[in-house]
Amino acid sequence: MNAIFMAWIVLGISVISEVAGTIALRQSAGFTRIGPALLAGLFYIAAVWLMAIALRQLEIGVTYAVWAASGTAITALVGIAVFQEQASLQKLAGIVIILLGVLVLSMERTGDA
């Protein structure tokens, strides 16, 4: 596998780690539960470390935009699916727009657009 492809894989794992950190943060009840609070910190450290590794091969603007937008969209979907948060048409449309933006940005970097 080439280095660019591997960087995208590492970035994807970074996004998953960031989402896991956010879920652990929610479960920490405002840092009153030590286990989930520690997990949140570890997942966030891993997310940033993995993003730094991906940045060796990927452009910073595209990398951060994809990381932040993907994390936002996936976290919103987890909120709906796992925590029974409201799934309004407006929220779902926003998630679709975010995901389309991520797709366009990632295609720009590889020259597929």
Side-chain angles (χ1 to χ4, degrees), residues 32-97:
T32 60
R33 298 180 57 220
I34 191 72
L38 289 174
L39 278 175
L42 290 173
F43 279 123
Y44 283 136
I45 289 168
V48 172
W49 175 65
L50 290 164
M51 183 171 47
I53 292 171
L55 281 168
R56 293 177 184 165
Q57 298 295 323
L58 303 174
E59 295 175 359
I60 190 169
V62 172
T63 299
Y64 187 73
V66 168
W67 184 82
S70 297
T72 300
I74 294 168
T75 301
L77 291 171
V78 168
I80 292 166
V82 176
F83 300 111
Q84 290 76 47
E85 294 178 357
Q86 180 183 0
S88 67
L89 185 58
Q90 183 177 4
K91 183 184 284 186
L92 294 174
I95 292 168
V96 168
I97 291 167

Side-chain angles (χ1 to χ4, degrees), residues 5-29:
F5 181 77
M6 289 305 298
W8 282 107
I9 297 296
V10 170
L11 184 61
I13 297 167
S14 173
V15 169
I16 292 167
S17 183
E18 188 265 336
V19 171
T22 303
I23 292 167
L25 189 63
R26 185 184 192 278
Q27 297 302 101
S28 77

